[in-house]
C-alpha cells in the first residue's frame, strides 16, 4: 500500500463519515420543511437564509438541556442505549459505495469506506444490532411506556427483518455477489434490479415497506407511538441522549435510502450513460451526483409518507409482517431461484 | 347484548391498500404547492377588526385634556379590579378630572365593561393586542401612557355608539 493510497483512504473515511451527521442535520430540516409544505405552512425560516441554520440551533438547544436519569433506571443501560441506537446505524454507511471507483497509483480505489466482499452481510448484521439500542433504552429507563415501546420495537424489527433479508437475498441471487460495488456494476451492465420483472420489482416493494419498519418511521413507528405511549422508548430521555436517538433514526433512514438506491436503482449508474464517460474522475463525480439524486428521492419519499399516512394498529402491523410480506418474500425467493435455474434470468 | 357493528365494507381495491396509499400521497404532494396560510407575524401584523377588544385607553380631547370626569363607574364595574382612579378638581366646566388613572394590564381581562359603562365615552377599547413585557411594573399603565388623542380612537368610538344605539332602541 503506497502513501498516496493511504492518504486517499484517510481522506475518504473522514469525508464519508462526516457526511452522515451532516445529512442527519439536513434531514431534520428537510423533515420540518416538507411537513410544513404539506400542511400549507412555511416551516422554519428564521434562523439563517431559508432556515438553513435551524439544525445548529436545535443541536445547541439539545446541548444546554438538563440531563435527567429517572429514579430506578438502570444507569448503565440507560446511558449506553442511545449510543447503541446511533452507532450501528452510522456504521452501515461504511460499506456503501457512493460512486464509481477511481484510480490511485494505478490501483482501483473503491468509493466505499470498506470495500468488503460481505458488504450485504455487514449491513444485515448492523441493522440487526440497531434494535438493541431501542430495546435497552426502553428496558433501562424503568418506565412502563418505555418498556412497551422497546418491546414493540423489537417484535416489529424481528418480524420485518426477515422479509427484508429475503428480498436482499433475491438481489444477491440475481447479481451473484455480496459486494455492494459489484452489485451496482452488475446493474450497470444489465439493468436495474427494479426492472427485473417480476421478482426484482417485488423484492423492491418488500424492501421499501420493511425499511420503513426497520427505521421506526411512520406508518410503522409503533415504538414511539405518541398517542398511546407518550414517547415510547425515549419517553425518559432528555438533552443529547434524546438527540442521539434522533440521530440514529435519521442516519438509519439515510443508510436505508443509500442501500435502496444501490440494491434496486443501480447506485451511481444510469442506463449505461455514465459508464461510457472515459475520464475516471469525471465519471466518479457525475456518478456521485446521480447517486445523490436517487438517495434524495428515497429520503423525500420517507418524509412524504410520514406526513401522509396514519399509524398502523399493532395487530395490523404484525399481520402485514408475518402473514403478507413474509410469504410473499419467500415465494419471491423461490421464484427467483426457479427463474435463474431455468435460465429465464441469468 | 347484541352488538351491531357499523363498519363500512371495504371494496377489494380498498383492501389492497396500495391504491389508497397512492391516492393519499398524491393529495399531500399537491398540497405542497398550494398557497401558504401562515402569517409571518412580526413583519406581517394582524389587522384587527374594529370589534376587537384590545387594551383599554383613555380618550384625550383635541386640547390635550382627558375626557374622563373621574366618576369611578369603570373602577366599580371592572370585574378584575384593574382600574385605580384618584380624582381631583379642575377649572374646566366638567369640574372633576382624574389626577391618577391606572389600569393594571396584568389583571385586565379585556372584557370591555369599562367602555360600556363610561358615561362620557372616555375609556375606549383599542386594537392594541401586543401586551407583553418583562416586568410587572411596566404592565401597569398609568395616565400618561393611557391618554390617546381622540383621532386615533374615532373609529371605535363610532362603533360603540352604533352598538349601544342598537341595544337601547
Ligand atoms: S376591560 Fe374589563 S377588566 Fe379591563 S379594565 Fe375594563 S372593565 Fe376592567
Ligand atoms: S367611567 Fe369613564 S368618565 Fe367615569 S371614571 Fe371611568 S373613564 Fe372616567
Amino acid at each position: 500500500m503506497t502513501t498516496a493510497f493511504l492518504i486517499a483512504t484517510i481522506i475518504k473515511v473522514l469525508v464519508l463519515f462526516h457526511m452522515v451527521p451532516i445529512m442527519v442535520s439536513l434531514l431534520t430540516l428537510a423533515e420540518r420543511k416538507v411537513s410544513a409544505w404539506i400542511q400549507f405552512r412555511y416551516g422554519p425560516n428564521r434562523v439563517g437564509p431559508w432556515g438553513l441554520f435551524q439544525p445548529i440551533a436545535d443541536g445547541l438547544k439539545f446541548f444546554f438541556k438538563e440531563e435527567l436519569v429517572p429514579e430506578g433506571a438502570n444507569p448503565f443501560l440507560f446511558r449506553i442505549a442511545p449510543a447503541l441506537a446511533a452507532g450501528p446505524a452510522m456504521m452501515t454507511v461504511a460499506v456503501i459505495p457512493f460512486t464509481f471507483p477511481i484510480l490511485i497509483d494505478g490501483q482501483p480505489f473503491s468509493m466505499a469506506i470498506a470495500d468488503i466482499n460481505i458488504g450485504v452481510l455487514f449491513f444485515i448484521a448492523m441493522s440487526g444490532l440497531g434494535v438493541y439500542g431501542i430495546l435497552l433504552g426502553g428496558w433501562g429507563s424503568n418506565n412502563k411506556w418505555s418498556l412497551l415501546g422497546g418491546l414493540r420495537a423489537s417484535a416489529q424489527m424481528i418480524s420485518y427483518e426477515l422479509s427484508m433479508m429475503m428480498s436482499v437475498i433475491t438481489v444477491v441471487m440475481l447479481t451473484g455477489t455480496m459486494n455492494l460495488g459489484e452489485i451496482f456494476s452488475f446493474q450497470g451492465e444489465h439493468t436495474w434490479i427494479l426492472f427485473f420483472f417480476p421478482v426484482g420489482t417485488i423484492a423492491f416493494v418488500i424492501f421499501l415497506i420493511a425499511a420503513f419498519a426497520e427505521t421506526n418511521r411512520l406508518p410503522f413507528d409503533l415504538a414511539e407511538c405518541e398517542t398511546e405511549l407518550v414517547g415510547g422508548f425515549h419517553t425518559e430521555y432528555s438533552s443529547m441522549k434524546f438527540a442521539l436517538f434522533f440521530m440514529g433514526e435519521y442516519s438509519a433512514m439515510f443508510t436505508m435510502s443509500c442501500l435502496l438506491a444501490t440494491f434496486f436503482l443501480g447506485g451511481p449508474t444510469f442506463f449505461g450513460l455514465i459508464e461510457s464517460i472515459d475520464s475516471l474522475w469525471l465519471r466518479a463525480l457525475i456518478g456521485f451526483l446521480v447517486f445523490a439524486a436517487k438517495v434524495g428521492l428515497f429520503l423525500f419519499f420517507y418524509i412524504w409518507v410520514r406526513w401522509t399516512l396514519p399509524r398502523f394498529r399493532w395487530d395490523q402491523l404484525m399481520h402485514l409482517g408475518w402473514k403478507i410480506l413474509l410469504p410473499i418474500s419467500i415465494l419471491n425467493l423461490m421464484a427467483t431461484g426457479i427463474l435463474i435455474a431455468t435460465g429465464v434470468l441469468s | 347484548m347484541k352488538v351491531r357493528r357499523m363498519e363500512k365494507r371495504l371494496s377489494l381495491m380498498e383492501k389492497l391498500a396500495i391504491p389508497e396509499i397512492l391516492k393519499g400521497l398524491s393529495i399531500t404532494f399537491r398540497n405542497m404547492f398550494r398557497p401558504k396560510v401562515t402569517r409571518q407575524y412580526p413583519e406581517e401584523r394582524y389587522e384587527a377588526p374594529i370589534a376587537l377588544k384590545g387594551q383599554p385607553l383613555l380618550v384625550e380631547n383635541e386640547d390635550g385634556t382627558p375626557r374622563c370626569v373621574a366618576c369611578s363607574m369603570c373602577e366599580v364595574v371592572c370585574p378584575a379590579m384593574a382600574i385605580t382612579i384618584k380624582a381631583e378638581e379642575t377649572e374646566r366646566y366638567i369640574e372633576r378630572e382624574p389626577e391618577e388613572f391606572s389600569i393594571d394590564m396584568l389583571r385586565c381581562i379585556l372584557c370591555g365593561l369599562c367602555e360600556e359603562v363610561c358615561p362620557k365615552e372616555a375609556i375606549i377599547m383599542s386594537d392594541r393586542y401586543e401586551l407583553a413585557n418583562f416586568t410587572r411594573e411596566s404592565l401597569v399603565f398609568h395616565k400618561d401612557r393611557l391618554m390617546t388623542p381622540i383621532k386615533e380612537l374615532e373609529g371605535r368610538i363610532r362603533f360603540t355608539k352604533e352598538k349601544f344605539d342598537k341595544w337601547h332602541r
Side-chain angles (χ1 to χ4, degrees):
Chain A
M1 195 182 281
T2 59
T3 330
F5 205 80
L6 201 67
I7 290 171
T9 309
I10 290 171
I11 291 175
K12 177 178 75 176
V13 169
L14 286 180
V15 168
L16 291 187
F17 189 71
H18 282 93
M19 214 163 77
V20 181
I22 291 170
M23 277 310 293
V24 167
S25 54
L26 285 180
L27 269 179
T28 56
L29 179 69
E31 173 107 54
R32 294 172 68 171
K33 276 279 181 192
V34 173
S35 72
W37 292 337
I38 285 177
Q39 299 166 348
F40 320 141
R41 297 183 284 113
Y42 290 101
N45 59 357
R46 298 281 147 163
V47 198
W50 210 64
L52 268 181
F53 300 138
Q54 187 69 39
I56 300 174
D58 288 348
L60 276 180
K61 190 197 83 174
F62 275 128
F63 268 114
F64 289 114
K65 287 269 170 179
E66 189 187 355
E67 207 181 305
L68 286 174
V69 179
E71 208 177 88
N74 183 327
F76 178 69
L77 292 184
F78 188 77
R79 292 205 169 85
I80 197 95
L84 275 182
M90 287 180 166
M91 250 137 79
T92 317
V93 97
V95 292
I96 296 167
F98 283 90
T99 180
F100 295 100
I102 51 173
L103 281 181
I104 291 215
D105 263 4
Q107 287 170 314
F109 180 76
S110 162
M111 273 305 175
I113 292 178
D115 182 27
I116 46 181
N117 286 331
I118 49 160
V120 174
L121 272 185
F122 182 82
F123 146 64
I124 291 175
M126 281 304 144
S127 76
L129 276 182
V131 68
Y132 283 102
I134 291 173
L135 181 60
L136 290 182
W139 190 36
S141 44
N142 188 28
N143 175 319
K144 51 183 177 293
W145 312 122
S146 304
L147 183 62
L148 277 173
L151 212 64
R152 284 178 175 194
S154 46
Q156 171 185 332
M157 287 202 177
I158 288 166
S159 41
Y160 278 82
E161 209 149 278
L162 278 174
S163 26
M164 182 182 227
M165 298 321 155
M166 294 285 181
S167 59
V168 174
I169 291 172
T170 312
V171 175
V172 172
M173 279 167 78
L174 285 170
T175 55
T177 172
M178 280 206 176
N179 182 318
L180 289 167
E182 284 168 25
I183 285 181
F184 82 67
S185 52
F186 172 88
Q187 296 181 57
E189 283 158 28
H190 298 80
T191 178
W192 298 353
I193 299 285
L194 176 61
F195 301 132
F196 274 89
F197 197 77
V199 282
T201 318
I202 293 173
F204 170 72
V205 173
I206 289 170
F207 193 98
L208 191 67
I209 296 173
F212 278 97
E214 273 289 304
T215 47
N216 271 319
R217 294 276 302 179
L218 255 142
F220 302 124
D221 71 336
L222 271 291
E224 297 182 29
C225 197
E226 295 89 346
T227 36
E228 298 166 22
L229 298 182
V230 191
F233 60 93
H234 58 55
T235 308
E236 295 288 356
Y237 282 90
S238 54
S239 85
M240 216 47 209
K241 290 216 273 305
F242 174 73
L244 268 180
F245 272 125
F246 244 81
M247 282 178 74
E249 183 187 323
Y250 281 101
S251 39
M253 204 167 122
F254 173 60
T255 46
M256 279 294 171
S257 301
C258 288
L259 287 168
L260 270 164
T262 315
F263 284 154
F264 299 102
L265 290 199
T269 66
F270 196 81
F271 302 113
L273 280 182
I274 295 146
E275 295 93 310
S276 58
I277 300 173
D278 282 330
S279 157
L280 276 179
W281 283 92
L282 192 67
R283 192 167 83 178
L285 187 70
I286 296 179
F288 179 75
L289 292 181
V290 169
F291 187 68
K294 286 173 185 170
V295 172
L297 203 73
F298 282 117
L299 288 175
F300 173 74
F301 184 69
Y302 259 101
I303 298 172
W304 181 21
V305 165
R306 165 162 185 191
W307 295 98
T308 303
L309 296 184
R311 182 179 294 119
F312 273 59
R313 216 170 52 210
W314 178 234
D315 57 321
Q316 289 169 335
L317 182 89
M318 281 303 174
H319 177 85
L320 181 66
W322 289 104
K323 293 195 193 157
I324 300 176
L325 287 187
L326 188 62
I328 291 181
S329 56
I330 292 176
L331 284 180
N332 192 40
L333 195 62
M334 281 156 62
T336 317
I338 292 168
L339 287 181
I340 290 175
T342 54
V344 180
L345 300 169
S346 53
Chain B
M1 197 175 70
K2 242 178 119 183
V3 179
R4 249 177 83 211
R5 302 187 65 168
M6 302 289 282
E7 270 176 19
K8 181 177 167 262
R9 286 225 170 234
L10 298 178
S11 67
L12 181 70
M13 279 310 254
E14 283 167 334
K15 271 195 193 133
L16 277 177
I18 305 268
E20 295 294 312
I21 288 174
L22 292 182
K23 248 189 241 171
L25 286 175
S26 83
I27 289 174
T28 43
F29 192 75
R30 265 180 279 134
N31 280 358
M32 295 202 342
F33 305 103
R34 293 248 302 261
K36 313 277 182 261
V37 292
T38 318
R39 186 191 302 278
Q40 297 289 314
Y41 165 61
E43 292 97 43
E44 229 178 278
R45 288 187 77 253
Y46 169 63
E47 290 304 326
I50 195 74
L52 181 107
K53 290 189 247 178
Q55 143 102 59
L57 292 175
L58 281 179
V59 180
E60 185 185 282
N61 288 323
E62 266 105 4
D63 56 3
T65 51
R67 255 197 192 191
C68 172
V69 292
C71 70
S72 283
M73 298 260 271
C74 49
E75 192 180 7
V76 172
V77 79
C78 178
M81 297 181 192
I83 303 180
T84 314
I85 303 172
K86 210 167 129 199
E88 71 174 356
E89 275 186 46
T90 166
E91 295 300 309
R92 290 186 293 143
Y93 75 99
I94 54 172
E95 292 178 5
R96 266 160 71 93
E97 69 170 23
E99 178 202 347
E100 167 58 37
F101 193 111
S102 71
I103 303 179
D104 187 346
M105 287 316 290
L106 289 169
R107 309 196 60 161
C108 174
I109 53 172
L110 306 173
C111 64
L113 284 182
C114 48
E115 178 194 68
E116 261 175 53
V117 82
C118 178
K120 306 297 280 184
E121 278 152 8
I123 188 164
I124 286 290
M125 309 300 282
S126 66
D127 58 1
R128 295 186 195 168
Y129 52 83
E130 283 152 326
L131 299 168
N133 217 323
F134 291 102
T135 58
R136 280 160 185 271
E137 295 74 44
S138 61
L139 280 167
V140 180
F141 283 64
H142 290 284
K143 204 171 94 180
D144 50 331
R145 280 174 78 189
L146 290 173
M147 294 275 273
T148 321
I150 187 163
K151 271 207 194 74
E152 285 174 35
L153 298 172
E154 250 165 6
R156 175 76 189 182
I157 293 174
R158 202 175 317 120
F159 173 77
T160 47
K161 261 192 195 147
E162 277 163 21
K163 188 174 70 173
F164 295 149
D165 282 354
K166 211 154 73 187
W167 289 353
H168 298 297
R169 231 195 326 247

